[in-house]
Amino acid sequence: MISKPNFTGIGAPIQRKEDKRFITGQGQYTDDIARPGQVYAAFVRSPVAHARIKEIDASAALELEGVLAVLTGAQLKEDGIAGLICGWTVQSKDGSDMIAGEHPALAVDKVRYVGDHVAVVIGTTNHIARQGAELVGVDYEELDPVVDLESVRGANPVHEEAANNVCFEWELGEKEPTDDAFGKADHVTKLDITNNRLIPNAMEPRAAIGEYNQAEDHYTLYTTSQNPHVARLVISAFVGLAPEHKLRVIAPDVGGGFGSKIFIYAEEVVCLWAAKKVGKPVKWTGERSEAFLADAHGRDHISSAELALDKDGKFLGLRVKTIANLGAYLSTFASAVPTYLYGTLLSGQYQIPAIYVEVDGVYTNTAPVDAYRGAGRPEATYLLERIVEKAARELSIDPADLRKRNFIDQFPYQTPVIMNYDVGDYHASLEEGLERIGYSDFETRKAQSEAAGKKRGIGFSTYIEACGIAPSAAVGSLGAGVGLWESAEVRVNPTGNVEVLTGCHSHGQGHETTFAQLVSHRFGIPIESVEIVHGDTDKVQFGMGTYGSRSGAVGMSAITVACDKVITKGKKIAAHLMEVPADSVDFEDGLFLGKDSNKSLAFGEIALAAYTAHGFPTDEIEPGLKESCFYDPSNFTFPAGCHICEVEIDPETGELDIAAFVAVDDFGTVINPMIVEGQVHGGLVQGIGQAILEGCTYDKESGQLVTGSFMDYTMPRADDVPSFDVGMTVTECPSNPVGMKGCGEAGAIGATPAVINAIINALGVDSIEMPATPERIWRAANGL
């Protein structure tokens, strides 16, 4: 494991290298790119949630000066362009495959949600294209939409092939042993909850530029993507737009993603296709209103859960029934989120001998639902931590003590729901959290609040997540369409500086800094001598992208292995130059040292020699110094921690004040604690946002998006959150060479149940719907 810190290496809280260009306005995002002769795309989107398309009349749009074309789904189909795919196969409990309804990039016969893509208008300016889109007339035969999860069965089918609007009926765990555990229980806690739908709202809206080179029959796509290589693979192999070697995908600077930019979207496919049709580069930049309508949303579950306990408060079994909203179409990873990224984490940090979960994935006339920061893990944690808190209250057991009684304390630990936890110390994070929050003095603070006419509560969340989404054998056995390894190439130049080509993609994580810190540490060179290259399929070897907190645990592991190969070759070169046996050369702090001599060569000297020295034994040493790695880990990683929230509520107004928030996380080895703390802060704000502010709502009768702008969809602001108290414990991950676990999603996973548990504790009620707005809090506080 890597643990030795230095001033720019591992453990150093250095400022991000990439921030200079961002804060000086020198970043280059997709919308900043202007291709010679480019024209603009504007999409005609469905204003109704469910309808058959009877006719599309483009005549008025085509008469508008500057409109070059109006293209429809029928033309797309005629050109042999296939629909978008879901890359993860899930089977129902009866063994049948999930039912994946067709997902054309432009609707052909039917629209299935408000915002669905009906046609695209190409204009010489963005304004003209949008004007033209407003002039396209579409005759719809409206159908009754289905929005409410509790009434999907028996409603009008979103897809004709999916009877009762059911995509799959999935199960995990063993039913009979779980039922037996409930038969032996001294107490059963029951809970019905809703995990509210969220809209991601990354700072940068999605954008795409499609370009076609007729002379070379070659396409280029500039796009706001978290995984450009996967986008190229899907568009080539499944959509069928171009052979892979005839398609280049470039993801330049990307302004946030949170999962919403993992997926392959209709706009990317259409811009590429349209570029060939009109013979010019085609650019589309989404407006914020389009992002609300058509970006993949997150969460949206309704669940019933039961927890069986014995007389001492030990957990015996857990039963869960969930209905998961998939929206109108299966997005790229939609089927995995409420199944293998959800059900497999329902053991949490606890020894629960028997678990059985059923998940029905259903279609509705709403925007597609897919991975959003945490992706299944927040939904699992929210359900489990809410029911544990309720059980503690019903049994009059301190919620911290109930957790301690049931913590896993021996590793590795095999859960009843697939996962094998490799390492952890859950007691340590809880104990530090209790100390930081001042738990022993909470009753005093509560009494002070009561004296002032306020209600004070405290809530816990001891979460775990599976990260480093990668092990190919594991994800393949669970239905993934591809293995999720990661790649790296480390190029040492003759002058000793280093270029690292990574298949990961940075869109706010700080890879250009942390990846360079790792290489600086390994080679003993200044961080300024390391350059990180990513985001271009013509420059970088195939990679799987960034999501699921995998860039550190998987991407940096690939870099580490490639660096080790460079050092191994460097030792051979050094041995030849120093005329000592190869097995007698050590490498430390940037120096190749002969063990039994006073000879040494610096890293830079070896780099130069690799390209310029003469007389190498060519059967042993090739010229040059470049190595690569395709790294596939043996297991997931399991970050875990304890989040504790303390709130004060004014029962007369419902006003909520988050008085304190403590987050103690175990991320394994930490490369840059400043960047990690920033990741935690961002996740906490998003988790708090879900708990008290954010909620996507559709009208149940019409299927119209009610929360279609920031006027109706409330985003968290600085004055909504406290100053966070962040701590860390460390158990190094044994399944990768860096010892890392991942940190990008933890805040969004742990925060939400901690906040809601604190509100419930303050009000003395069993439940409250999210978002817990002042009105909902006021009603609960006053028994309404």
Side-chain angles (χ1 to χ4, degrees), residues 377-391:
R377 282 74 54 86
E379 296 91 317
T381 298
Y382 183 69
L383 181 145
L384 186 60
E385 291 305 296
R386 289 275 285 102
I387 201 167
V388 167
E389 199 87 359
K390 187 180 182 189

Side-chain angles (χ1 to χ4, degrees), residues 191-195 301-307 318-322 342 346 357 376-390 749 753 757 770:
L191 180 68
D192 295 328
I193 60 168
T194 298
N195 205 295
H301 289 189
I302 57 173
S303 299
S304 297
E306 297 177 290
L307 180 65
L318 177 70
R319 282 194 298 231
V320 177
K321 174 68 176 184
T322 294
Y342 166 70
L346 283 171
V357 55
R377 282 74 54 86
E379 296 91 317
T381 298
Y382 183 69
L383 181 145
L384 186 60
E385 291 305 296
R386 289 275 285 102
I387 201 167
V388 167
E389 199 87 359
K390 187 180 182 189
I749 293 169
N757 283 337
M770 294 194 294

Side-chain angles (χ1 to χ4, degrees), residues 231-246:
R232 183 178 70 163
L233 174 64
V234 171
I235 293 171
S236 171
F238 298 98
V239 177
L241 193 140
E244 200 168 1
H245 69 294
K246 292 291 187 180

Side-chain angles (χ1 to χ4, degrees), residues 352-413:
I352 307 178
I355 299 174
Y356 179 67
V357 55
E358 298 173 282
V359 178
D360 293 351
V362 299
Y363 291 115
T364 62
N365 294 113
T366 62
V369 179
D370 209 320
Y372 174 63
R373 197 169 191 170
R377 282 74 54 86
E379 296 91 317
T381 298
Y382 183 69
L383 181 145
L384 186 60
E385 291 305 296
R386 289 275 285 102
I387 201 167
V388 167
E389 199 87 359
K390 187 180 182 189
R393 187 166 57 253
E394 290 176 351
L395 294 172
S396 300
I397 299 175
D398 181 277
D401 182 51
L402 182 62
R403 287 172 167 84
K404 292 177 186 178
R405 294 184 194 186
N406 290 281
F407 275 160
I408 297 162
D409 51 18
Q410 291 187 341
F411 296 90
Y413 178 80

Side-chain angles (χ1 to χ4, degrees), residues 665-688:
D665 302 291
D666 178 2
F667 300 134
T669 299
V670 172
I671 304 296
N672 186 316
M674 181 188 70
I675 289 177
V676 168
E677 190 166 329
Q679 287 283 307
V680 172
H681 281 201
L684 292 175
V685 172
Q686 284 182 281
I688 291 170

